[in-house]
Amino acid sequence: LRSSGLAFSQPLTLAVRPHEMTISVAWVRSVGKSEELVFASDSRLAFGARWDCCPKILALPRNDAAISFAGDTHYAYPVMLQAIAAVSQHPKLLSRGMDLGDLRGHLLRVLNDMLSLVHDLPKGEGVDNTPKTDFLFGGWSWRSNQFKIWLLHFDAQAKKFTFRPASRWRGFNDKKVFAFAGDYKDEYKERLIALLRGKNAIERGGFDMEPVEVLRDMLRDRKLDLIGGAPQVMKVYKYSSCRPYAVFWPTRDSKQVNLLGRPLMDYEKSEYFVLDTDTLETVRHLDVA
């Protein structure tokens, strides 16, 4: 971002691994005088084929935090499901009596303990058993009275997962808080900066829905075949409510509603709002004809 006149107090929270099939982003959205935390992702998994309807963002049971991933699913899904189980069975975590930072520490300990139980890994020259999965974890911290986002990533030197907080933009605008994991890092940054420039929004205010607009456009670009499917969107609110948003995809005219990557059946009516990714308007699914 230095070429745009923007810099960070720390490097942007980015994780890029070869052969990953994901864009996963999280940011603090400014809505008038209020704020909300938004996660977004594509929906593609790859295993010799492409599967474009797979959930990549999950809400945690305490309802003030969410987690998403980029990378190998043989690490990602077990960890995310165990994260849900770990919160569900821990009364103080579940009740939010323990703050988001305490939850982050607990999840890292669970993750690293799980990692220590992996055995019978492939051996031989050229075999790389390094975990190639990164997680974005964030939510509302009542202790610090703000939204927080962390990248949970594997430190090859320490041989364990650790964390790095999302950075604020330094210099022109420190109200923008954003984290990224996955593929097409440079492409995504360039498009995001261009979009903000076009809105004259680089130097003013926080993010609105620009990160999901960039994701939408990249998903429609057939040249970017490491990502695919419908965008997934999850919001975390200050009042400890975590809700997914369905989306019209590929356009509203298609009348196809997707929730967490999966096209809903004609007879399914979700209680969640449906986002038009072109106009950024939302409607109740129950009102969709």
Side-chain angles (χ1 to χ4, degrees):
L1 294 181
R2 296 183 187 279
S3 62
S4 69
L6 298 169
F8 288 81
S9 56
Q10 305 175 38
L12 230 183
T13 304
L14 296 170
V16 181
R17 306 280 195 178
H19 311 305
E20 287 183 355
M21 314 285 288
T22 299
I23 286 179
S24 186
V25 292
W27 70 97
V28 177
R29 182 191 179 210
S30 297
V31 187
K33 296 182 179 180
S34 187
E35 293 178 330
E36 58 192 29
L37 177 61
V38 189
F39 286 77
S41 174
D42 75 309
S43 299
R44 173 166 290 178
L45 295 187
F47 47 94
R50 302 289 193 268
W51 199 5
D52 289 347
C53 60
C54 302
K56 294 185 174 180
I57 310 170
L58 296 178
L60 295 181
R62 56 191 269 149
N63 222 29
D64 66 347
I67 187 169
S68 65
F69 77 91
D72 293 343
T73 57
H74 63 266
Y75 282 103
Y77 278 140
V79 167
M80 292 173 73
L81 292 175
Q82 289 289 16
I84 290 173
V87 173
S88 298
Q89 65 84 41
H90 193 303
K92 200 167 182 180
L93 280 176
L94 186 60
S95 70
R96 299 185 293 274
M98 295 175 71
D99 184 56
L100 187 76
D102 300 316
L103 173 58
R104 182 209 66 214
H106 182 60
L107 292 183
L108 271 174
R109 288 189 289 274
V110 169
L111 198 168
N112 283 315
D113 187 58
M114 291 178 65
L115 186 63
S116 72
L117 299 175
V118 177
H119 58 92
D120 293 337
L121 287 166
K123 297 179 181 179
E125 186 177 351
V127 174
D128 181 8
N129 292 318
T130 303
K132 297 175 178 62
T133 307
D134 301 288
F135 301 91
L136 294 181
F137 168 69
W140 176 252
S141 168
W142 54 258
R143 182 172 291 153
S144 61
N145 197 36
Q146 62 180 326
F147 287 110
K148 290 192 173 185
I149 313 168
W150 294 278
L151 173 73
L152 309 184
H153 64 100
F154 186 76
D155 185 322
Q157 186 172 1
K159 296 183 179 179
K160 66 178 183 179
F161 277 87
T162 185
F163 70 93
R164 185 163 70 243
S167 301
R168 293 179 180 270
W169 284 16
R170 186 182 64 188
F172 290 109
N173 191 338
D174 64 358
K175 293 182 179 180
K176 289 181 167 65
V177 181
F178 175 81
F180 178 104
D183 299 286
Y184 301 122
K185 173 188 66 175
D186 293 337
E187 177 86 10
Y188 189 96
K189 287 197 302 182
E190 290 171 4
R191 289 182 183 232
L192 180 58
I193 290 167
L195 180 61
L196 291 169
R197 272 211 190 101
K199 294 184 176 184
N200 193 28
I202 286 183
E203 298 181 20
R204 60 176 175 83
F207 286 108
D208 189 359
M209 293 293 280
E210 293 91 359
V212 83
E213 293 181 75
V214 174
L215 177 60
R216 170 203 67 202
D217 292 344
M218 292 181 70
L219 285 170
R220 289 174 175 166
D221 189 335
R222 293 178 180 269
K223 298 190 299 293
L224 307 178
D225 65 348
L226 296 182
I227 57 174
Q232 301 176 28
V233 180
M234 180 88 70
K235 290 187 178 182
V236 183
Y237 299 98
K238 291 182 179 181
Y239 52 89
S240 297
S241 178
C242 193
R243 294 178 66 83
Y245 273 60
V247 299
F248 290 109
W249 194 255
T251 65
R252 185 168 183 170
D253 289 342
S254 72
K255 297 185 179 180
Q256 178 61 64
V257 175
N258 295 259
L259 181 62
L260 294 178
R262 181 176 68 85
L264 297 183
M265 304 294 179
D266 292 340
Y267 57 81
E268 290 184 278
K269 288 294 183 180
S270 171
E271 65 174 358
Y272 299 120
F273 282 99
V274 186
L275 173 68
D276 182 336
T277 58
D278 291 296
T279 66
L280 302 179
E281 296 175 342
T282 57
V283 296
R284 292 197 320 155
H285 192 197
L286 295 174
D287 295 334
V288 177

